[in-house]
Amino acid sequence: MYRDPEIADDIRQSMLAWRRDIHANPETAFEEHRTANVVAQALTLMGLPIHRGLATTGVVATLKNGEGPTIALRADLDALNMQELGGNKPHISTCRGKMHGCGHDGHTAMLLGAAAHLARHKPFKGTVHFIFQPGEENEGGGRVMVEEGLFDKFPADAVYGMHNYPGLPRGRFAIRTGTMTAYLDTFEITVTGKGSHGAMPETGIDSVVVAAQLVNALQTIVSRRIGATDSAVVSVTQIHGGDTWNVIPEEVVLRGTVRTLDAGIQDKVQAAMLHICDGVAATHGARVALNYMRGYPGVVNTPKETAAAATAAASLVGEDKVDTNIPPAMGSEDFAFMLQKRPGAYIIIGGGEGANDPPVHNPYYDFNDAILPLGAAYWVALVKQQLPAA
Ligand SMILES: [Zn+2]
Ligand SMILES: [Zn+2]
C-alpha cells in the first residue's frame, strides 16, 4: 500500500467535482472553451494569474514564490470524437459523439488539485507554470502552444507530463529514459495509371495492380530493410479506387500510418517508401506520388528529469512500485513537442483495478477517480523535490 498523499479533503472533493463536470461536458480539439473556462475560474479562485489563448483554448497559470528555479507541469484538456457507452454513471457524456475516453478530464483535475495545494501552502522558492493544453489527441495542440511561444512567455528549466493507464495497477507508476512513445507519421500514395476498359487492360496502365504491388512491397520495409532489434510499423489502412465492374480506374489512392521509435529509423522508413514508390512506378509506367506527413515525434525523456520523476513517484508509493524501464509504446503523444524544447519527463500513473478494466479509447472507459489524490500528490512531490524549500 502507498502512503496516503497529503492532499486535503476539500481539494480532493474539488478534484472529483472538476473531473466529473469536465467528463460530462467533453470538448474536442481547440473547442475546449467551456473546459478552459472551468480551469481558468478554478485557478483564478486560487489567486493565480492566468494566461489564456495559446493554441486558442490553452490556459497557463503561474505560481511564483520568490526567486528560484522554474518548473512547468502539463495536463491536456481535450476529449475524443467517440460515443460513450455503458452509461448509468451520473457523469456520463452529455454530448453525443464526444467522450473523455483518454482520461484527460482526470489529468486536468489532478493538475488543478496540485495547483490548489501548492497555492495554499507555497512550500517552495521559485516558479511553477501549470500548462493546460488543448487538442492532444490528433491536432497537436502541444505543438501549436510551443509555436505560439509557450516557453518564451513562460520560460521553464524543465517540463513534466503525466498520463493515466488502466493497464497499470492503481498505486504504481512507470517511466523510462529515452524514447517512451512512437514517432507517428501518416502517408498518402496516389497511383495514376491510364484508365481503360476492364476487358482490354492492354490499352491502359492498371492502377489497381500497381496499388496491389505497392501494398506488398511496402511490407518489405520492416521485414527486409529495418534491423531485427529496431522497431517500425508500416500499415496501409485505406485503399480507394474504382467505381464499377468493367472500368479499370485511372487512379487509386492508398493511405496509412508509420510508427517508429527512433528519428534515424523514421528517416530510413520514409526513404525506403519513396524508393519503393519510384521503383514500382517505373516497373509499370505508372505515376506514383508519395505524400509522407510527419506527425507527432516520439516522447523522449531526458535522463536527469526521468530520475527526478521516478524519485517523486517513489516517495509516494515506494521504489518497488515504480517501474523505471517500461518498454516504449507504439502509441503517440504530443507532449513530445514540449520535450523537443525543454528537458523533461513523461510518466505513466496506474489506474487499473482489475483485468477487465476497459483500456483508454474504449467506449466503456472512465478515468479512475481513486487516483486523483495520488496524481496531485505526485505533482506536489515533484515540485518540492525540484525547487528549494521556502
Ligand atoms: Zn488518447
Ligand atoms: Zn491521452
Side-chain angles (χ1 to χ4, degrees):
M1 265 325 276
Y2 56 91
R3 281 211 305 279
D4 199 36
E6 59 183 315
I7 307 299
D9 275 348
D10 65 314
I11 294 177
R12 290 169 187 246
Q13 279 160 22
S14 294
M15 282 195 287
L16 193 63
W18 290 320
R19 208 292 282 182
R20 295 189 170 185
D21 175 61
I22 294 169
H23 188 92
N25 298 281
E27 296 171 307
T28 49
F30 307 123
E31 292 172 359
E32 305 93 336
H33 297 288
R34 184 189 180 281
T35 312
N37 284 342
V38 169
V39 167
Q41 204 169 47
L43 293 163
T44 303
L45 281 173
M46 295 169 205
L48 302 188
I50 55 165
H51 179 283
R52 299 188 66 171
L54 279 178
T56 311
T57 43
V59 182
V60 182
T62 300
L63 176 58
K64 188 170 159 63
N65 195 38
E67 295 308 313
T70 299
I71 189 173
L73 314 177
R74 168 272 201 182
D76 34 19
L77 297 168
D78 59 318
L80 286 155
N81 285 303
M82 61 184 288
Q83 179 63 37
E84 184 163 13
L85 297 175
N88 45 11
K89 53 178 164 276
H91 55 282
I92 192 160
S93 170
T94 57
C95 186
R96 229 193 129 60
K98 292 189 183 190
M99 171 192 176
H100 268 289
C102 205
H104 300 181
D105 46 352
H107 301 166
T108 295
M110 292 189 291
L111 190 55
L112 284 175
H117 178 96
L118 292 167
R120 184 178 293 174
H121 300 288
K122 300 192 180 68
F124 62 88
K125 270 206 285 232
T127 302
V128 184
H129 296 304
F130 303 93
I131 302 169
F132 297 85
Q133 74 142 81
E136 190 286 318
E137 287 292 353
N138 285 305
E139 312 301 329
R143 174 177 52 76
V144 179
M145 279 189 106
V146 168
E147 283 171 0
E148 292 183 2
L150 174 66
F151 293 120
D152 305 321
K153 291 185 174 71
F154 306 99
D157 301 315
V159 62
Y160 292 87
M162 174 161 59
H163 206 294
N164 81 100
Y165 184 54
L168 185 70
R170 172 161 63 89
R172 288 179 177 269
F173 288 85
I175 194 164
R176 68 178 284 114
T177 298
T179 304
M180 185 134 161
T181 65
Y183 292 71
L184 180 168
D185 300 331
T186 53
F187 61 85
E188 182 175 274
I189 299 170
T190 305
V191 179
T192 309
K194 186 179 170 198
S196 66
H197 196 297
M200 290 170 270
E202 75 281 9
T203 64
I205 296 171
D206 191 341
S207 57
V208 173
V209 169
V210 175
Q213 295 198 354
L214 276 171
V215 172
N216 283 326
L218 291 172
Q219 292 312 310
T220 65
I221 295 174
V222 173
S223 65
R224 303 288 87 177
R225 299 201 192 201
I226 303 297
T229 55
D230 291 319
S231 300
V233 178
V234 177
S235 294
V236 176
T237 57
Q238 301 179 41
I239 304 179
H240 300 276
D243 298 297
T244 189
W245 287 270
N246 56 353
V247 174
I248 292 171
E250 178 96 357
E251 190 177 282
V252 173
V253 174
L254 307 174
R255 296 196 187 102
T257 187
V258 172
R259 308 291 169 109
T260 47
L261 294 175
D262 176 280
I265 302 297
Q266 182 189 33
D267 290 344
K268 214 168 166 178
V269 171
Q270 183 175 356
M273 284 187 77
L274 191 61
H275 194 195
I276 286 171
C277 287
D278 288 349
V280 172
T283 302
H284 295 280
R287 270 188 293 131
V288 177
L290 168 66
N291 182 12
Y292 190 97
M293 294 159 278
R294 294 205 171 195
Y296 293 179
V299 164
V300 182
N301 286 338
T302 48
K304 189 166 145 261
E305 287 69 24
T306 304
T311 303
S315 74
L316 300 165
V317 297
E319 242 174 68
D320 58 323
K321 299 285 197 311
V322 182
D323 183 348
T324 54
N325 193 24
I326 49 159
M330 293 319 280
S332 297
E333 159 66 68
D334 83 343
F335 183 61
F337 291 105
M338 297 190 189
L339 287 180
Q340 286 188 328
K341 296 289 174 193
R342 287 293 179 277
Y346 178 80
I347 199 165
I348 301 295
I349 181 170
E353 298 290 351
N356 296 324
D357 291 350
V360 292
H361 292 210
N362 177 285
Y364 294 93
Y365 166 85
D366 193 17
F367 181 85
N368 185 354
D369 286 324
I371 67 170
L372 288 168
L374 182 61
Y378 164 75
W379 289 128
V380 170
L382 186 64
V383 168
K384 285 165 76 172
Q385 176 209 93
Q386 288 295 293
L387 304 187

